[in-house]
């Protein structure tokens, strides 16, 4: 069937085509620079880890409204008492360290065909520096309260960025936590670096409408939520264990019962 003809006498308008000019970027000659020593080490370790492991990522969404409200209530007192700001990061570390004790396979390290279960939870904290990504180690994290964790993270991050760490402070990590949300990302799929078998990425904490069920009734409420992404080496960690670990971390954070762990 033919399309209907346009009635005669009806004016038609032809819009002029506007030429798009390329933005003036100025003179930008090509540059070729060698990798820094740190960049080469990171690249080699990343490639080796990806080639030698079977990595995949599991993601959960967590309602951290209870923690947000706790932070609002105590952040001034916490800063006065400890000298440190109270961010979400110490709560993530605390919950992860507790779950690592229950699921030691997530805290394991692997060399060849040998799996070692360390006696403590030594959590590497990813720190973004001008030289590249470094991961100083928060030793014995499972024994620390929120104030201790916050203080250690602030100290390690500052000395990492000012190149004042000793080699021992970058070694011995059994699990890594990286705050990808610090630059606004919802989540990513972080890379596990051998000999560790897992890494937890925390996304940005944001407010959004959520369906909340109370006494069997559903309603819409504004809640603080965050995505947690656990990448793990499937040669060593089964998917069920990874899911159980994440669920324990999720439940601990959503309960928000950290008053006794603040350490003020």
């Amino acid at each position: 069937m033919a399309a209907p003809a346009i009635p005669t006498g009806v004016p038609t308008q032809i819009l002029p085509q506007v030429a798009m000019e390329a933005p003036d970027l100025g003179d930008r000659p090509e540059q070729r620079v060698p990798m820094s020593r740190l960049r080469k080490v990171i690249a080699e370790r990343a490639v080796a880890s990806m080639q030698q492991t079977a990595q995949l990522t599991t993601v959960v969404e967590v309602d951290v409204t209870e923690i947000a409200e706790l932070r609002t209530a105590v952040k001034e007192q916490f800063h006065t008492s400890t000298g440190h700001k109270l961010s979400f990061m110490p709560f993530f570390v605390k919950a992860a360290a507790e779950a690592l004790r229950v699921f030691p396979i997530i805290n394991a390290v692997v060399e060849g065909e040998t799996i070692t279960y360390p006696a403590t939870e030594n959590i590497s904290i990813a720190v973004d520096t001008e030289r590249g990504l470094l991961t100083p180690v928060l030793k014995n994290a499972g024994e620390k309260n929120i104030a201790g964790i916050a203080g250690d993270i602030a100290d390690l991050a500052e000395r990492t960025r000012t190149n004042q760490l000793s080699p021992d402070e970058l070694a011995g990590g059994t699990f890594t936590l990286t705050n990808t949300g610090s630059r606004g990302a919802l989540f990513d799929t972080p890379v596990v670096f051998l000999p560790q078998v897992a890494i937890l990425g925390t996304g940005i904490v944001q407010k959004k409408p959520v369906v909340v069920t109370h006494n069997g009734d559903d309603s819409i409420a504004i809640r603080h939520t965050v995505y947690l992404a656990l990448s793990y080496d499937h040669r060593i960690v089964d998917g069920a264990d990874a899911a159980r670990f994440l669920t324990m971390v999720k439940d601990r954070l959503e309960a928000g019962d950290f008053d006794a762990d603040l350490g003020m």
Side-chain angles (χ1 to χ4, degrees):
M1 182 176 179
I6 298 176
T8 59
V10 177
T12 60
Q13 181 180 18
I14 301 177
L15 297 177
Q17 293 186 358
V18 179
M20 299 297 293
E21 295 183 2
D24 183 10
L25 299 179
D27 295 330
R28 296 203 307 172
E30 181 181 274
Q31 292 183 315
R32 297 173 64 87
V33 296
M35 286 188 182
S36 66
R37 180 175 178 275
L38 176 60
R39 178 55 56 192
K40 287 191 290 186
V41 170
I42 294 173
E44 291 168 358
R45 289 192 59 207
V47 171
S49 294
M50 292 297 290
Q51 290 178 339
Q52 297 174 32
T53 62
Q55 298 196 22
L56 71 159
T57 305
T58 298
V59 181
V60 296
E61 186 177 20
V62 183
D63 185 335
V64 291
T65 303
E66 296 295 330
I67 294 176
E69 293 176 351
L70 176 61
R71 288 179 64 239
T72 300
V74 304
K75 62 183 180 181
E76 292 185 5
Q77 180 185 354
F78 186 88
H79 186 267
T80 301
S81 176
T82 68
H84 302 292
K85 294 181 178 180
L86 183 58
S87 69
F88 283 92
M89 191 69 165
F91 296 97
F92 296 148
V93 172
K94 180 66 174 174
E98 292 175 355
L100 289 174
R101 289 189 165 187
V102 178
F103 301 99
I105 190 62
I106 311 294
N107 193 53
V109 294
V110 60
E111 295 183 26
E113 297 181 355
T114 301
I115 302 173
T116 300
Y117 294 87
T120 57
E121 300 76 35
N122 301 325
I123 299 181
S124 301
I125 304 295
V127 178
D128 182 28
T129 75
E130 293 182 355
R131 295 176 294 136
L133 187 68
L134 293 171
T135 52
V137 180
L138 178 60
K139 301 290 178 67
N140 204 15
E143 294 294 331
K144 299 180 184 294
N145 56 30
I146 297 296
I149 293 170
D152 284 353
I153 290 176
D155 173 64
L156 288 170
E158 173 64 23
R159 291 192 295 113
T160 299
R161 295 188 175 104
T162 55
N163 199 23
Q164 295 179 355
L165 288 179
S166 67
D168 288 345
E169 292 176 300
L170 290 165
T174 59
F175 178 80
T176 297
L177 201 150
T178 178
N179 182 16
T180 56
S182 63
R183 296 296 181 266
L186 288 176
F187 66 90
D188 68 356
T189 55
V191 176
V192 180
F193 278 72
L194 288 171
Q196 296 180 19
V197 300
I199 177 173
L200 181 66
T202 63
I204 186 173
V205 176
Q206 58 180 353
K207 291 192 290 185
K208 69 177 187 179
V210 175
V211 176
V212 177
T213 303
H214 181 68
N215 293 331
D217 296 324
D218 292 340
S219 61
I220 303 294
I222 302 300
R223 309 290 290 180
H224 291 77
T225 65
V226 63
Y227 290 104
L228 301 183
L230 180 73
S231 291
Y232 55 97
D233 185 352
H234 208 354
R235 300 177 307 155
I236 311 300
V237 180
D238 291 333
D241 286 331
R244 293 185 189 103
F245 171 84
L246 267 181
T247 298
M248 182 174 181
V249 174
K250 172 184 170 75
D251 291 345
R252 178 72 163 103
L253 293 172
E254 290 191 337
D257 187 16
F258 290 93
D259 298 74
D261 300 305
L262 290 173
M264 294 190 298

